[in-house]
Amino acid sequence: MPRQSRPPATGTAAARVTGWLLLVPAVVLTVLTLVVPTVRTVVTSFHAETFLPGSESRNVGLDNYDALPGFWTSLWFALSLVVVPMIVAVVVAPLVAAALDWAGTWARWAARIVLSLTVVLFSPVALTIAWQRDLRDDPTSLTDIDLVGGTIRSVTAMTTFGVVLAVGLMIFLPVFRARERRRSLWPALFATAAVAVLAMVAIGLQQFTVPFLTTRFGPRDATNTPMGLMYTSSFQQMRLGVGAAAATIVLAILAVLGIVAVLIVVLTRLRVSLLPSRQAPSAVPRPVHPGAIVLAALVLAAVVTAIVLNALPWLDALGGTTPEGRPGTQARTWGPALNGALVSVGAAYLAALGISGLRPLGRHSEWLLMAFAPWLFVGLAPLSVEFFRSVQENGDVDTTGALTPRILVSTVSLVIIAVLCRGQSERWRRQVAGGAPAGASFLGTVVVPTLPLAGLLFVVALFLNAQDLLWPLLVSTTPEHDTVTLTLYRLTEGFRQSDFSVAAATPLLAVVLGALAVVAVQVLHLDRMVAATGASEDS
């Protein structure tokens, strides 16, 4: 069959217009919940003002930036917290993925099932409280200025080991599956690892929960982070401009990281496609070397052992008295989290479908991702000053509505889904070139196969929203409006009720439903993914 660079259906006016229309929700929400707050944060960084009603704002130029003593020290400390997690993500995870892929289907499925639990059980607040209790026998580890930094790094590494490894396997296993298609895996491996490194750096820059819960950023600011500096300056010392200055520097760095990450995706033409069900490994077994089975069994045993050992303090903290929360605490926790995840991932899915599915700019369509790139890794913390100001101006503090996540488009989900849409769109264009009906082919080849990944990202966003501490801490000033994480935090203040159970952070129903969803998508969908870079097969 002669090769066509642009099958007719992909260039129709209807396809282009539909692609642009699908972008509208994400563009609008990005402007409202990311671009505008970013601009307002930058403007605030040049002013002296407070949250007090009627307070005047005056321009102070760069004075707020000069009033950031220790900022770069806090930044380096924040980055040091993710050194070990980064090694797990880009060294350990690829090695484990290679061993599992060599052993075949059973090994991959076993790892996916086991590690899915670490995703839905991940609660930074509960895990940090558990490790804080475990350190009570050695109090100097959190009070000695020479020891506390290493302690916080260790706690961060141990509390995140399981979830970082789980996510690492999700992104690297499709890379090693490329060997079954006789494709070089190295370009995709390096591109994926580079994006993962940038993501870990971005996460490090926005660290807040672990140092805040364990030491309140002390002693003597030894465990302060840029987001800790933003929090103490703006919300404790009422120096909004200083806090906004710290946030602005972080936003600038995050923008660079996001732009570089999207450039890697676009320039390497990174994409993921799904093996047809009839070619799934469960249906077409391949010979497995006995050594691969032994190696995979040892690797799985080592991984499970490490996860269990790191989880021992958390397992112990599940016991104890159940804290008495206010009525509706679980509803205030999961209701707003559900709404935020649905909107943010839904908008991202539509945009990804428009950009990399319908491709309104043809083979240049992925460049549209650059419009979202500066906010790819931006979380709530750097924008929290302006988010809180908006809530305060609307009189919504201490309301359930205020607990809804402020960022209503998940740019990370957008890029991830776009990578899959790109691979599936290539298959759709080949089918159209071969005479298949364009509409039915697009629905079955692009839309339906990308829905499970969107569902997985929705579950992840839901649990991350529900486990957040910073935003409820800002907008809930009385226990009557607390979320579960904020309730647990209040019980740690002054080391009161130190033996309460942290099980409320991961309620059984949510964990069971979340685990079933994640396992199903992992085994039935993600395990069929194959990553590739470079020119497409039909270009």
PDB file of all heavy atoms in Angstrom, residues 488-512:
ATOM      1  N   LEU A 488      -6.084  15.283  61.434  1.00  0.00           N
ATOM      2  CA  LEU A 488      -4.898  14.575  61.921  1.00  0.00           C
ATOM      3  C   LEU A 488      -3.794  15.563  62.274  1.00  0.00           C
ATOM      4  O   LEU A 488      -3.080  15.385  63.280  1.00  0.00           O
ATOM      5  CB  LEU A 488      -4.404  13.584  60.868  1.00  0.00           C
ATOM      6  CG  LEU A 488      -5.356  12.442  60.509  1.00  0.00           C
ATOM      7  CD1 LEU A 488      -4.731  11.558  59.425  1.00  0.00           C
ATOM      8  CD2 LEU A 488      -5.696  11.605  61.730  1.00  0.00           C
ATOM      9  N   TYR A 489      -3.652  16.609  61.467  1.00  0.00           N
ATOM     10  CA  TYR A 489      -2.627  17.615  61.768  1.00  0.00           C
ATOM     11  C   TYR A 489      -2.903  18.307  63.097  1.00  0.00           C
ATOM     12  O   TYR A 489      -1.987  18.494  63.907  1.00  0.00           O
ATOM     13  CB  TYR A 489      -2.566  18.644  60.642  1.00  0.00           C
ATOM     14  CG  TYR A 489      -1.936  19.945  61.074  1.00  0.00           C
ATOM     15  CD1 TYR A 489      -0.573  20.018  61.348  1.00  0.00           C
ATOM     16  CD2 TYR A 489      -2.714  21.093  61.264  1.00  0.00           C
ATOM     17  CE1 TYR A 489       0.009  21.209  61.774  1.00  0.00           C
ATOM     18  CE2 TYR A 489      -2.141  22.275  61.682  1.00  0.00           C
ATOM     19  CZ  TYR A 489      -0.782  22.329  61.943  1.00  0.00           C
ATOM     20  OH  TYR A 489      -0.217  23.491  62.368  1.00  0.00           O
ATOM     21  N   ARG A 490      -4.137  18.684  63.337  1.00  0.00           N
ATOM     22  CA  ARG A 490      -4.466  19.390  64.575  1.00  0.00           C
ATOM     23  C   ARG A 490      -4.160  18.521  65.794  1.00  0.00           C
ATOM     24  O   ARG A 490      -3.784  19.037  66.855  1.00  0.00           O
ATOM     25  CB  ARG A 490      -5.936  19.796  64.571  1.00  0.00           C
ATOM     26  CG  ARG A 490      -6.290  20.860  63.547  1.00  0.00           C
ATOM     27  CD  ARG A 490      -7.643  21.456  63.837  1.00  0.00           C
ATOM     28  NE  ARG A 490      -8.191  22.202  62.711  1.00  0.00           N
ATOM     29  CZ  ARG A 490      -7.841  23.444  62.385  1.00  0.00           C
ATOM     30  NH1 ARG A 490      -6.925  24.072  63.090  1.00  0.00           N
ATOM     31  NH2 ARG A 490      -8.408  24.047  61.352  1.00  0.00           N
ATOM     32  N   LEU A 491      -4.312  17.213  65.658  1.00  0.00           N
ATOM     33  CA  LEU A 491      -4.032  16.317  66.770  1.00  0.00           C
ATOM     34  C   LEU A 491      -2.542  16.211  67.069  1.00  0.00           C
ATOM     35  O   LEU A 491      -2.141  15.762  68.145  1.00  0.00           O
ATOM     36  CB  LEU A 491      -4.600  14.926  66.491  1.00  0.00           C
ATOM     37  CG  LEU A 491      -6.124  14.826  66.447  1.00  0.00           C
ATOM     38  CD1 LEU A 491      -6.552  13.435  66.000  1.00  0.00           C
ATOM     39  CD2 LEU A 491      -6.721  15.157  67.810  1.00  0.00           C
ATOM     40  N   THR A 492      -1.698  16.583  66.103  1.00  0.00           N
ATOM     41  CA  THR A 492      -0.248  16.534  66.326  1.00  0.00           C
ATOM     42  C   THR A 492       0.283  17.813  66.961  1.00  0.00           C
ATOM     43  O   THR A 492       1.415  17.839  67.439  1.00  0.00           O
ATOM     44  CB  THR A 492       0.518  16.301  65.009  1.00  0.00           C
ATOM     45  OG1 THR A 492       0.331  17.446  64.140  1.00  0.00           O
ATOM     46  CG2 THR A 492       0.020  15.058  64.305  1.00  0.00           C
ATOM     47  N   GLU A 493      -0.491  18.886  66.943  1.00  0.00           N
ATOM     48  CA  GLU A 493      -0.018  20.150  67.501  1.00  0.00           C
ATOM     49  C   GLU A 493       0.224  20.001  69.000  1.00  0.00           C
ATOM     50  O   GLU A 493      -0.636  19.537  69.744  1.00  0.00           O
ATOM     51  CB  GLU A 493      -1.046  21.254  67.252  1.00  0.00           C
ATOM     52  CG  GLU A 493      -1.146  21.662  65.796  1.00  0.00           C
ATOM     53  CD  GLU A 493      -2.087  22.832  65.605  1.00  0.00           C
ATOM     54  OE1 GLU A 493      -3.310  22.636  65.783  1.00  0.00           O
ATOM     55  OE2 GLU A 493      -1.608  23.932  65.286  1.00  0.00           O
ATOM     56  N   GLY A 494       1.372  20.382  69.424  1.00  0.00           N
ATOM     57  CA  GLY A 494       1.731  20.260  70.824  1.00  0.00           C
ATOM     58  C   GLY A 494       1.888  18.816  71.272  1.00  0.00           C
ATOM     59  O   GLY A 494       1.921  18.527  72.458  1.00  0.00           O
ATOM     60  N   PHE A 495       2.002  17.911  70.278  1.00  0.00           N
ATOM     61  CA  PHE A 495       2.180  16.475  70.546  1.00  0.00           C
ATOM     62  C   PHE A 495       1.037  15.912  71.398  1.00  0.00           C
ATOM     63  O   PHE A 495       1.217  15.045  72.231  1.00  0.00           O
ATOM     64  CB  PHE A 495       3.519  16.198  71.245  1.00  0.00           C
ATOM     65  CG  PHE A 495       4.689  16.620  70.416  1.00  0.00           C
ATOM     66  CD1 PHE A 495       5.308  17.845  70.647  1.00  0.00           C
ATOM     67  CD2 PHE A 495       5.155  15.821  69.391  1.00  0.00           C
ATOM     68  CE1 PHE A 495       6.390  18.250  69.867  1.00  0.00           C
ATOM     69  CE2 PHE A 495       6.227  16.220  68.612  1.00  0.00           C
ATOM     70  CZ  PHE A 495       6.844  17.429  68.849  1.00  0.00           C
ATOM     71  N   ARG A 496      -0.172  16.454  71.184  1.00  0.00           N
ATOM     72  CA  ARG A 496      -1.337  15.943  71.892  1.00  0.00           C
ATOM     73  C   ARG A 496      -1.852  14.678  71.200  1.00  0.00           C
ATOM     74  O   ARG A 496      -1.791  14.550  69.987  1.00  0.00           O
ATOM     75  CB  ARG A 496      -2.459  17.002  71.905  1.00  0.00           C
ATOM     76  CG  ARG A 496      -2.091  18.255  72.665  1.00  0.00           C
ATOM     77  CD  ARG A 496      -3.224  19.270  72.657  1.00  0.00           C
ATOM     78  NE  ARG A 496      -3.409  19.861  71.334  1.00  0.00           N
ATOM     79  CZ  ARG A 496      -4.460  19.635  70.560  1.00  0.00           C
ATOM     80  NH1 ARG A 496      -5.402  18.818  70.959  1.00  0.00           N
ATOM     81  NH2 ARG A 496      -4.576  20.231  69.390  1.00  0.00           N
ATOM     82  N   GLN A 497      -2.414  13.754  71.996  1.00  0.00           N
ATOM     83  CA  GLN A 497      -3.013  12.526  71.492  1.00  0.00           C
ATOM     84  C   GLN A 497      -2.097  11.859  70.453  1.00  0.00           C
ATOM     85  O   GLN A 497      -2.494  11.571  69.337  1.00  0.00           O
ATOM     86  CB  GLN A 497      -4.383  12.807  70.869  1.00  0.00           C
ATOM     87  CG  GLN A 497      -5.385  13.400  71.853  1.00  0.00           C
ATOM     88  CD  GLN A 497      -6.769  13.509  71.249  1.00  0.00           C
ATOM     89  OE1 GLN A 497      -7.159  12.696  70.420  1.00  0.00           O
ATOM     90  NE2 GLN A 497      -7.513  14.513  71.680  1.00  0.00           N
ATOM     91  N   SER A 498      -0.879  11.621  70.849  1.00  0.00           N
ATOM     92  CA  SER A 498       0.108  11.131  69.892  1.00  0.00           C
ATOM     93  C   SER A 498      -0.126   9.690  69.470  1.00  0.00           C
ATOM     94  O   SER A 498       0.507   9.210  68.542  1.00  0.00           O
ATOM     95  CB  SER A 498       1.520  11.265  70.488  1.00  0.00           C
ATOM     96  OG  SER A 498       1.604  10.541  71.704  1.00  0.00           O
ATOM     97  N   ASP A 499      -1.037   8.979  70.131  1.00  0.00           N
ATOM     98  CA  ASP A 499      -1.257   7.584  69.785  1.00  0.00           C
ATOM     99  C   ASP A 499      -2.577   7.352  69.057  1.00  0.00           C
ATOM    100  O   ASP A 499      -3.084   6.242  69.025  1.00  0.00           O
ATOM    101  CB  ASP A 499      -1.236   6.714  71.057  1.00  0.00           C
ATOM    102  CG  ASP A 499       0.147   6.660  71.677  1.00  0.00           C
ATOM    103  OD1 ASP A 499       1.117   6.655  70.899  1.00  0.00           O
ATOM    104  OD2 ASP A 499       0.241   6.644  72.911  1.00  0.00           O
ATOM    105  N   PHE A 500      -3.137   8.384  68.454  1.00  0.00           N
ATOM    106  CA  PHE A 500      -4.371   8.199  67.708  1.00  0.00           C
ATOM    107  C   PHE A 500      -4.096   7.435  66.405  1.00  0.00           C
ATOM    108  O   PHE A 500      -2.973   7.427  65.889  1.00  0.00           O
ATOM    109  CB  PHE A 500      -5.032   9.547  67.396  1.00  0.00           C
ATOM    110  CG  PHE A 500      -4.157  10.455  66.551  1.00  0.00           C
ATOM    111  CD1 PHE A 500      -4.173  10.377  65.167  1.00  0.00           C
ATOM    112  CD2 PHE A 500      -3.327  11.391  67.156  1.00  0.00           C
ATOM    113  CE1 PHE A 500      -3.373  11.201  64.392  1.00  0.00           C
ATOM    114  CE2 PHE A 500      -2.516  12.229  66.382  1.00  0.00           C
ATOM    115  CZ  PHE A 500      -2.538  12.127  64.992  1.00  0.00           C
ATOM    116  N   SER A 501      -5.139   6.807  65.856  1.00  0.00           N
ATOM    117  CA  SER A 501      -5.009   6.055  64.612  1.00  0.00           C
ATOM    118  C   SER A 501      -5.015   7.003  63.412  1.00  0.00           C
ATOM    119  O   SER A 501      -5.752   7.989  63.391  1.00  0.00           O
ATOM    120  CB  SER A 501      -6.164   5.067  64.476  1.00  0.00           C
ATOM    121  OG  SER A 501      -6.166   4.472  63.188  1.00  0.00           O
ATOM    122  N   VAL A 502      -4.194   6.671  62.404  1.00  0.00           N
ATOM    123  CA  VAL A 502      -4.164   7.467  61.174  1.00  0.00           C
ATOM    124  C   VAL A 502      -4.958   6.795  60.060  1.00  0.00           C
ATOM    125  O   VAL A 502      -4.892   7.209  58.901  1.00  0.00           O
ATOM    126  CB  VAL A 502      -2.707   7.698  60.702  1.00  0.00           C
ATOM    127  CG1 VAL A 502      -1.914   8.454  61.750  1.00  0.00           C
ATOM    128  CG2 VAL A 502      -2.035   6.371  60.344  1.00  0.00           C
ATOM    129  N   ALA A 503      -5.730   5.757  60.401  1.00  0.00           N
ATOM    130  CA  ALA A 503      -6.451   4.983  59.385  1.00  0.00           C
ATOM    131  C   ALA A 503      -7.493   5.824  58.656  1.00  0.00           C
ATOM    132  O   ALA A 503      -7.851   5.517  57.510  1.00  0.00           O
ATOM    133  CB  ALA A 503      -7.123   3.773  60.033  1.00  0.00           C
ATOM    134  N   ALA A 504      -7.994   6.884  59.295  1.00  0.00           N
ATOM    135  CA  ALA A 504      -9.034   7.698  58.663  1.00  0.00           C
ATOM    136  C   ALA A 504      -8.557   8.342  57.364  1.00  0.00           C
ATOM    137  O   ALA A 504      -9.368   8.661  56.489  1.00  0.00           O
ATOM    138  CB  ALA A 504      -9.507   8.790  59.625  1.00  0.00           C
ATOM    139  N   ALA A 505      -7.252   8.516  57.216  1.00  0.00           N
ATOM    140  CA  ALA A 505      -6.725   9.132  55.989  1.00  0.00           C
ATOM    141  C   ALA A 505      -6.906   8.234  54.775  1.00  0.00           C
ATOM    142  O   ALA A 505      -6.952   8.717  53.637  1.00  0.00           O
ATOM    143  CB  ALA A 505      -5.248   9.475  56.165  1.00  0.00           C
ATOM    144  N   THR A 506      -6.996   6.927  55.003  1.00  0.00           N
ATOM    145  CA  THR A 506      -7.178   5.971  53.905  1.00  0.00           C
ATOM    146  C   THR A 506      -8.358   5.058  54.242  1.00  0.00           C
ATOM    147  O   THR A 506      -8.163   3.893  54.601  1.00  0.00           O
ATOM    148  CB  THR A 506      -5.906   5.141  53.680  1.00  0.00           C
ATOM    149  OG1 THR A 506      -5.465   4.615  54.962  1.00  0.00           O
ATOM    150  CG2 THR A 506      -4.802   5.983  53.096  1.00  0.00           C
ATOM    151  N   PRO A 507      -9.586   5.553  54.145  1.00  0.00           N
ATOM    152  CA  PRO A 507     -10.753   4.744  54.492  1.00  0.00           C
ATOM    153  C   PRO A 507     -10.853   3.505  53.613  1.00  0.00           C
ATOM    154  O   PRO A 507     -10.503   3.541  52.425  1.00  0.00           O
ATOM    155  CB  PRO A 507     -11.934   5.692  54.259  1.00  0.00           C
ATOM    156  CG  PRO A 507     -11.402   6.760  53.368  1.00  0.00           C
ATOM    157  CD  PRO A 507      -9.953   6.895  53.697  1.00  0.00           C
ATOM    158  N   LEU A 508     -11.320   2.414  54.210  1.00  0.00           N
ATOM    159  CA  LEU A 508     -11.311   1.117  53.541  1.00  0.00           C
ATOM    160  C   LEU A 508     -12.066   1.135  52.221  1.00  0.00           C
ATOM    161  O   LEU A 508     -11.593   0.588  51.214  1.00  0.00           O
ATOM    162  CB  LEU A 508     -11.904   0.055  54.468  1.00  0.00           C
ATOM    163  CG  LEU A 508     -11.909  -1.388  53.927  1.00  0.00           C
ATOM    164  CD1 LEU A 508     -10.489  -1.846  53.626  1.00  0.00           C
ATOM    165  CD2 LEU A 508     -12.589  -2.319  54.920  1.00  0.00           C
ATOM    166  N   LEU A 509     -13.241   1.757  52.184  1.00  0.00           N
ATOM    167  CA  LEU A 509     -14.031   1.770  50.954  1.00  0.00           C
ATOM    168  C   LEU A 509     -13.286   2.452  49.818  1.00  0.00           C
ATOM    169  O   LEU A 509     -13.244   1.949  48.685  1.00  0.00           O
ATOM    170  CB  LEU A 509     -15.373   2.470  51.203  1.00  0.00           C
ATOM    171  CG  LEU A 509     -16.310   2.572  49.987  1.00  0.00           C
ATOM    172  CD1 LEU A 509     -16.678   1.183  49.482  1.00  0.00           C
ATOM    173  CD2 LEU A 509     -17.557   3.382  50.327  1.00  0.00           C
ATOM    174  N   ALA A 510     -12.683   3.598  50.114  1.00  0.00           N
ATOM    175  CA  ALA A 510     -11.938   4.324  49.083  1.00  0.00           C
ATOM    176  C   ALA A 510     -10.741   3.510  48.609  1.00  0.00           C
ATOM    177  O   ALA A 510     -10.441   3.465  47.413  1.00  0.00           O
ATOM    178  CB  ALA A 510     -11.483   5.680  49.617  1.00  0.00           C
ATOM    179  N   VAL A 511     -10.052   2.861  49.539  1.00  0.00           N
ATOM    180  CA  VAL A 511      -8.874   2.073  49.173  1.00  0.00           C
ATOM    181  C   VAL A 511      -9.274   0.884  48.304  1.00  0.00           C
ATOM    182  O   VAL A 511      -8.629   0.603  47.276  1.00  0.00           O
ATOM    183  CB  VAL A 511      -8.147   1.586  50.444  1.00  0.00           C
ATOM    184  CG1 VAL A 511      -7.087   0.545  50.085  1.00  0.00           C
ATOM    185  CG2 VAL A 511      -7.496   2.760  51.160  1.00  0.00           C
ATOM    186  N   VAL A 512     -10.327   0.181  48.675  1.00  0.00           N
ATOM    187  CA  VAL A 512     -10.760  -0.992  47.906  1.00  0.00           C
ATOM    188  C   VAL A 512     -11.189  -0.586  46.502  1.00  0.00           C
ATOM    189  O   VAL A 512     -10.756  -1.178  45.502  1.00  0.00           O
ATOM    190  CB  VAL A 512     -11.907  -1.727  48.637  1.00  0.00           C
ATOM    191  CG1 VAL A 512     -12.498  -2.806  47.738  1.00  0.00           C
ATOM    192  CG2 VAL A 512     -11.388  -2.353  49.923  1.00  0.00           C
TER     193      VAL A 512
END
